Amino acid sequence: MKQKLRKYYIGVVSIILLFLTACNDLNQVPTGEFTDDTYWYSTAKASYVLNMAYSQMMGDGYFFANEALSDNLFVTRTSDEKLISSGIANAATGRFANEWSDCYGGIRTCNTFLENVDRVPDMDVTLKARMKAESRFIRASLFFRLTNWYGAVPLFSKNLTATESKVIGRTSHAEVLNFVRTELDSAILALPATYTKADIGRITSGAATALKARTFLYENDWANVVAETQKIIDSKTYSLFPDYAGLFSIANENNPEVILDMEYVPTLRTWSEYFDYSPPSAGRRVNQQSPTQELVDNYMTLNGDSIQQAGSGYDEAKPYVNRDPRLAVTVLFDGGLWRMPDGTDLTIKIKPGSGTVDEYKSGSGNNSLSGYYMKKYYDPTFTGSYSSGLNLILIRYADILLMYAEAKNELGVMNQTIWDQTIKPIRLRAGFTDVNATDFKASWTQSDLRKIIRNERRSELALEGTRIFDIRRWKTAETVLNTYPHGAKFSESAIDNGYIRLDKRSFNPNRDYLFAVPQAQKDLDPNLGQNPGY
Amino acid sequence: MNIFKINKPKQGHRRFVFLSFLFLLFVGSANLEAQNRKITLSVEKVSLRQLFNAIEKQTDYKFSYRDLILDDLKDVSVNVESKGISQVLDQVLPAKNLQYKMQGTNINIIRKATTATLGNLITVKGNVVDATGQALIGVGVLQKGSSNNGSVTDMDGNFSLTIPSGATIKLTYIGYLSEEVVANDGKLLKIKLTEDSQKLDEVVVIGYGTVQRKSVVGAVDQISAKKIEDRPVSNLTQALQGVSANLTIQQTSMNPNDNKLNINIRGVSTMNNNDPLIVIDGLVTSLGSLSQLNPSDVENISVLKDAGSAAIYGSRSSNGVILVTTKKGKLNTKPVVRMNSLVGIQSPNVLYKPVSGYENAILKNIAANNTGNPLPYSPAQIQDLQKNGANSKWFLDDILQNALQQNYNLSISGGSQNSTYMVSAGYVNQRSNFVSGNNPSYGMERYNFRTNLVNTLGLFKLTTIMSYNRNESNSPNADTGNLMADGGRIPNYYYYKQKAANGHYLINDVLSQFTPLGSLEAAGSNKYDTDYLNGSMNAEMKITKGLTAKAMVGLDLNANHRATRSLQIPYYASEDATTPSIYQNIGGKTSDWNQKEYTINTQFLLDYDRTFNGSHHVSGLLGVSNESYSRYSNEIWMNYVDANLGIPTSETALAGNIGGKTTPMNTTLSDIASMFGRLSYSYKDKYYGEVSFRYDGSSKFASNNRWGFFPSLSAGWRISGESFMDSYRTNVGDLKFRGSYGILGNQNINDYNFLTTYQNYDNQYSFNGTTVSGTGFTLGNPIITWEQSANLNVGFDATFFSNKLYASFDYFNKVTSGILLYPVNPSVLGTAAGMENSGEMQNRGWELTIGYRAKTGDFNHNISFNLADSKNKVLAFTGNELIHSGDSKSDIIRVGAPFASYFGYKTDGYFKSYEDVQNSALPVGEDASQLAPGDVKYVDVNHDGVIDTKDRQILGNAFPRFTFGATYELEWKGFDLNMLIQGVGERTMFLRGELIEPFHANYSYTMYQHQMDFWTPTNTNARWPRLALSGSTSDANNYGFSSETQLLNAAYIRLKNIAIGYTIPKRFTSRFGVQKLHVSVNAQNLLTLSPLTFYDPESTEFTNNMGGPKGAGANSGRSYPTLKYIGFGLDLEF
């Protein structure tokens, strides 16, 4: 009997041994990811975190959607931007939550980089200083974005803990701006003016100065705008690219006009918004947003007069001839050309009765409801479904010149010299030849010039994401965003002289100069409070 | 020899109960057939007891002699070589004035019967068979009213009994309904007993063992093969719908290529995965594996609902456990060959229909007119549409077709003295209802092979299970939702066509990117195949009496492969265009994805089961187990490939654009080590007590938080077994109360959540035309550990009218705490924090199951019904509230409210007048001048004069409540009818998009017939608000917010399955060697009654956790259509 039992025990033991050996261990770590213990060991890996921050600095979606918040574009389909411009956004609107969390997401990446990069052994000291400065620039630019949209926002320079994140209050707009400028100052010192080869596209000291100039511009702090833009002009690092249309083509990326951009590479890192912006015959998906008649009307005639001016040469029957050459670069209108990837140019017939797929149809279909299509930044070298590798420029030299001119005028010191330094080269580059369009007139009052400079800014920078900030700082948003936008003169109705009347916009000056603090954020952190009117 | 009489007890009903009790004892293991095993034995002068012990040692036989006192005289000598047991017993028993009854391996020793001495006696002879004509052995035959005149049937089902002429005899057999027959002289009685669906002696499979139904003290539902096998479903999970209370199965898509099913036991109790644990033949596996099984291989399925029964699976059982046992052969039976086939047609049933073309144009004009827009259609255009209306075709009708579904099964089972076998093969072929054009036909095929062997070798029993399943599917290279949406929202205008006469695919001004027909016919396809292997070896060894050691090693292996060909398709702008205007899938793409997933499970158990003094039943279990899960996958894709072969080509500059993921990037390894045990005790089948525990360690947690202990306690009281209940037992039936309490665990979260990890992303940014990598990070939380749910269950089981009616009721209360959640932190944190054990949820409910069997004339009825409810409430949640919005739909997680409830604005009808608009609170920013009577009026809950986020309310919940299922089986002279009705008593569904909003967001171009009940000055009591063009304030007001306008009542009752069959009488078939030939007509989803008439009320946008804390996406009502099935079935048995 005992003998028998012993036999059983052997069996039992061998089975238990089998049980113990035939399995994965209880201690498992991922094979495809690093852990905090294994990550910060090389310069390359640290630089990947910085690269992530670059990708979070701004996005192509916001780049184009911001323009849709302004009077330059009409949004065809339901979107947060449509809700905002219709005045029916509330604290729960997605855009308010996303802008907030995307910015703080990028800030987290910057802080994580700054807090850990010193753990990397044997890292080149100069390189480390530069990368820290790049990181601080990105963080500053994100706080700048936040404070532009929301006013006072939580400000911090170290990663928060979960507990801290639930009680942090908002820092005033002025203090946030102060932080941004201080950070930019230190970045300016640590960053090079230019890069070579593989580093081209990184943040330069010029970019930091330009962003700093913008921080003053949005506050109408003209003296400081002059001071900062003057530095950029004097540095002679930047110049206007000779060809306005070429400025937005893949062949001329990183040209001397570009101060800061978002960099893309065909097929590998792309954006594809034009899939929903292009005309039907070019093989697009739907129409998401399209230029307004108001934008089109902003472009001068070739002699430099506004179309309303007597003697401008504007003919309502042939509205697109004899116009500022930048119009055709920016907006696709009836009879305009559209370059296809194979190099052919399609003539796009939008006017009703043309019988093409591009023909405007009232209130239906996937065609533009304004009778215009966007064109600037359309990249004919796209692959697949409008995947483009074209860089999107965030700050360019023409903007600096326009800022400089505007500030000088607001300070009351605009003159021929400054004109010849700023507006004139911009107009010449745009293709104007008529001296009436290019030359300074001593008869202009400050107010005349203000109008000229603002219109110039709109025409030059249209569809580049700056318009919404301009009309907000000019406080004209409450006017231009509080009315019916229009499309081309394609309507059979007598309303508005046959210009298509589009959905009414609404802008409440007591509320809409600031985004709402996202409802969910406010619920999670009672110290945040809310902006007026939400 | 079969005649015996019982002298005591005296009263008739007592005698009957006593007899029943005896039979209960007879049936120790229902799996084993009676047999006459050969014995070689040589004993001298031993007592009877010693002889029996000697025989028990050698064989499976068990002796019982509880109503006797055996003498201890050592006067028995036996010397036999390879003799049957009956010979041995016949040799020794008569001398002691004893005889025996054999049932399976149980041998009951009883007193030798003495012949009754009554006058006017006749001898009744009869034969007892079951519904299939098989002889029933050991059926009790008793003269009604007599206490002691009885007999049992022999091996051939025959009996003979001497009774007074004209007396009634009563036949009783465990597992069958008793039968009464008036005996007449001379005639051989042919008696057919009907199986009792609610048999008390049924062997119920529980965790790591089995137990008799009467001893079950937990909430366990066992579903027999019969409920599953004849349903024309393509997978097992579908077949479980409606058959068990609170086992909720929601088919989110009927697409054979994407057969998404939610399976849930007792509601939502965690914010994470609510999938139950699936155990197939003792091996823990995945939900996917359940759907791979061949339904006709299943012997039974146990659903463990409460802690008492599930705690043995500890860590992962808090969502309940589904135990599947596959069929085995039977000892000493001839081979039985069974074939069955089901062939039918599935027709797509799209419940929404567009209005006709010209009507649509008029409606669009009305909408435009209502909102002050120019009219899009001129009278001439409308006339043109009307004139050509007959030439129009709805795009959905172009892409949907009827499809064939075929199921075939073949099985052979049987057994010899020491071994049994069950070998089966199955084949399912379900075609898709999408047309496929040039692509290979869409649909799925599955092959199932199984070998289940049981071998007994002395003290050892070896069970070997091998099953191989192969699934091959071919699916469209397009998203089902897009296909349905694009196909559904094109108006019936004659000039919209998907394909020109010359074969060119056409786009138009409304579908300008691609069309569903083009996508289906020419966009390529996904070929997906799975090889699923499930095998185990289970060795059992008897150590001493009652003690068995078991060791098992099992493998569950899934190898998946997907090959996708994406083809470039040109689309043309018009029928006569010669150059394409747009391409779909530019450049084409080829991709391959491979995954291998396997779980190795090793178990070692000690099992003890013994009855002392005939009344103390003790059983215990102690075991260790390890489950090791590994998953490896890799993928490669190539863009811009040759259009024909999908290989790299030099025709384009981008050729060979390659990417993918390698094995190190896609590896998951996890492990669970466990110790578990159970101790149960019962006294005289009256009192039951059970404790069980499990101690689990999981690799999903850091080493110091890894182990969790999960105990449970259960008790039961069969009150009807008490003597004071004698009259109740006789007149009413059985009654048992039971209760359990336990703590269960859940760790159904992703691996490595306790670690902070860094992920590398290619091409995250670029400098000067060259891309660079980026790194993101995911925060971990090292202190996370098991979710725990405390589970209380109380219930009762009762039978009435001699077991004809069976009822069972359970109430449960489950509180899950430490729910693993990604805490909702403010966005300023900049990233998602690691998971925390922070949520708490309560889930309460009840379930009622009723079974009834009746016989009226030649009709046999069998009705079963179940009704259940569960209701949950969030008890704790970080931040107390989380709202998730997607498009115009919002849901909320709020403390005190049901989890993931629909959230939004309550409506107060429509504006009645312009004054009403002026005087009402309007959504913030809306201009009263842009609204009109007929637009939706919202309830200003806080009376602040404006409708804003503060006015939002909980509107409803999508989890089904009051779920029910009813089956009705009817037999009449070889005919049978089978029906399953299933439904939901209360549920809301939120829909947005084109099925709700006319001309939805400029994406939908047609209105549907169900939208015609819209507000007009003469139809103010309408279902829908007045028509308005997309982009207008009215449209934004009416459909731009999550509100009651989009909320639908999705309660329903559905005739899920109906089958009518006929068994050809054996006398016709047996001459061809056919034992059984059954033909049937089956139909599925024939009839549905629901307040929701334009969309399938069964469908849901939610997954197993109602979308979880991240919320579910918008429900756009674009799922694959509901399918109606009609087909034929054939069963053959040799």
Side-chain angles (χ1 to χ4, degrees), chain A residues 34 68 125-126 172 201 282 292 323 420 428 515:
Chain A
F34 292 96
V125 180
T126 325
S172 73
T292 57
R323 297 294 293 276
D420 289 348
L428 286 172
F515 278 2

Side-chain angles (χ1 to χ4, degrees), chain B residues 152-424:
Chain B
V152 291
T153 56
D154 66 11
M155 299 288 282
D156 301 314
N158 295 323
F159 71 91
S160 95
L161 183 66
T162 307
I163 53 163
S165 173
T168 304
I169 56 166
K170 185 168 183 175
L171 295 103
T172 50
Y173 190 52
I174 292 302
Y176 287 76
L177 294 174
S178 55
E179 198 65 40
E180 290 182 14
V181 187
V182 179
N184 287 310
D185 201 2
K187 195 173 156 197
L188 182 75
L189 291 169
K190 239 338 194 181
I191 298 156
K192 189 185 271 187
L193 289 188
T194 318
E195 224 176 320
D196 180 356
S197 58
Q198 314 300 347
K199 18 191 187 188
L200 287 177
D201 66 325
E202 176 191 38
V203 174
V204 175
V205 178
I206 55 166
Y208 301 98
T210 58
V211 65
Q212 285 187 354
R213 166 56 71 191
K214 61 177 176 174
S215 311
V216 170
V217 283
V220 181
D221 220 348
Q222 182 157 300
I223 300 154
S224 66
K226 197 169 164 43
K227 288 239 161 89
I228 300 163
E229 58 194 4
D230 287 332
R231 292 188 50 194
V233 291
S234 55
N235 74 54
L236 182 61
T237 317
Q238 287 173 316
L240 293 177
Q241 199 168 30
V243 296
S244 173
N246 258 335
L247 173 66
T248 309
I249 313 253
Q250 285 180 303
Q251 184 148 13
T252 58
S253 169
M254 294 208 179
N255 190 342
N257 294 122
D258 178 26
N259 225 319
K260 276 187 232 150
L261 290 156
N262 287 342
I263 179 163
N264 175 288
I265 297 173
R266 286 188 165 178
V268 175
S269 49
T270 170
M271 304 177 194
N272 288 309
N273 197 326
N274 279 282
D275 287 343
L277 181 74
I278 308 293
V279 180
I280 300 175
D281 288 320
L283 277 184
V284 172
T285 174
S286 66
L287 213 54
S289 304
L290 189 65
S291 291
Q292 294 282 342
L293 273 191
N294 183 353
S296 54
D297 283 347
V298 173
E299 172 75 31
N300 61 54
I301 293 174
S302 284
V303 185
L304 314 184
K305 298 175 183 175
D306 72 323
S309 53
I312 195 93
Y313 289 106
S315 61
R316 289 157 299 164
S317 57
S318 72
N319 300 322
V321 185
I322 292 180
L323 299 175
V324 180
T325 309
T326 58
K327 288 174 179 162
K328 315 277 187 308
K330 289 176 178 171
L331 284 171
N332 296 315
T333 48
K334 285 187 299 187
V336 177
V337 180
R338 214 181 150 218
M339 285 166 68
N340 65 56
S341 58
L342 291 162
V343 178
I345 296 289
Q346 287 194 310
S347 47
N349 191 16
V350 182
L351 300 169
Y352 49 92
K353 296 271 182 271
V355 297
S356 69
Y358 81 96
E359 285 174 322
N360 189 59
I362 295 170
L363 291 163
K364 182 106 186 185
N365 277 358
I366 295 173
N369 188 51
N370 280 349
T371 46
N373 296 63
L375 303 188
Y377 295 94
S378 67
Q381 284 173 311
I382 294 172
Q383 276 169 12
D384 177 52
L385 287 171
Q386 187 172 20
K387 199 176 71 198
N388 292 293
N391 300 325
S392 66
K393 196 173 182 194
W394 195 28
F395 277 20
L396 264 193
D397 291 332
D398 277 343
I399 62 166
L400 292 172
Q401 62 183 5
N402 288 345
L404 187 67
Q405 181 182 320
Q406 304 166 76
N407 298 41
Y408 303 101
N409 287 297
L410 172 70
S411 72
I412 305 166
S413 67
S416 64
Q417 243 178 41
N418 297 317
S419 56
T420 71
Y421 57 89
M422 199 293 289
V423 184
S424 77

Side-chain angles (χ1 to χ4, degrees), chain A residues 134-249:
Chain A
E134 289 171 75
S135 188
R136 290 171 74 168
F137 172 94
I138 295 169
R139 186 174 63 181
S141 78
L142 290 163
F143 275 116
F144 184 51
R145 249 173 87 185
L146 282 165
T147 196
N148 283 335
W149 290 125
Y150 301 94
V153 291
L155 176 72
F156 49 89
S157 57
K158 273 205 168 93
N159 277 332
L160 298 179
T161 63
T163 319
E164 288 165 348
S165 76
K166 284 171 201 159
V167 292
I168 193 165
R170 291 201 278 161
T171 304
S172 73
H173 177 60
E175 280 179 71
V176 174
L177 278 182
N178 197 32
F179 172 81
V180 168
R181 289 174 188 146
T182 317
E183 286 292 294
L184 289 175
D185 283 340
S186 69
I188 289 165
L189 294 175
L191 289 169
T194 55
Y195 289 94
T196 54
K197 294 176 189 158
D199 286 326
I200 290 172
R202 286 185 182 276
I203 296 152
T204 57
S205 56
T209 311
L211 185 67
K212 197 178 167 200
R214 227 176 227 187
T215 68
F216 291 116
L217 180 77
Y218 289 3
E219 297 302 298
N220 302 326
D221 182 346
W222 308 114
N224 276 312
V225 172
V226 169
E228 297 302 327
T229 48
Q230 188 82 59
K231 286 181 202 163
I232 298 167
I233 295 166
D234 292 349
S235 76
K236 307 231 183 292
T237 312
Y238 304 101
S239 59
L240 292 179
F241 186 72
D243 171 17
Y244 184 75
L247 185 54
F248 311 105
S249 82

Side-chain angles (χ1 to χ4, degrees), chain B residues 37-43 51 54-55 57-59 78-85 88:
Chain B
R37 192 160 294 160
K38 305 287 184 217
I39 297 170
T40 300
L41 193 67
S42 171
V43 287
L51 172 73
I55 296 173
K57 274 223 176 83
Q58 244 189 54
T59 65
V78 176
N79 191 353
V80 291
E81 199 167 333
S82 195
K83 285 275 158 41
I85 183 126
V88 177

Side-chain angles (χ1 to χ4, degrees), chain A residues 34 39 51 285 361 366 521, chain B residues 510 512 758 773 775 827 1005:
Chain A
F34 292 96
Y39 190 75
N51 297 341
R285 185 162 53 192
K361 282 183 188 167
N366 288 340
Q521 299 305 312
Chain B
V510 295
S512 45
Y758 289 76
S773 293
T775 292
S827 306
Y1005 309 94

Side-chain angles (χ1 to χ4, degrees), chain B residues 808-863:
Chain B
S808 173
F809 181 85
D810 281 277
Y811 165 82
F812 64 90
N813 185 359
K814 198 164 163 182
V815 176
T816 308
S817 55
I819 294 176
L820 283 162
L821 287 178
Y822 285 103
V824 184
N825 281 311
S827 306
V828 290
L829 192 64
T831 184
M835 277 192 147
E836 286 175 4
N837 289 92
S838 59
E840 193 172 334
M841 216 155 109
Q842 182 186 49
N843 186 24
R844 284 187 284 198
W846 51 267
E847 54 224 19
L848 172 69
T849 306
I850 295 172
Y852 184 68
R853 252 189 200 283
K855 194 171 172 180
T856 48
D858 286 330
F859 290 96
N860 274 312
H861 309 267
N862 186 9
I863 299 165

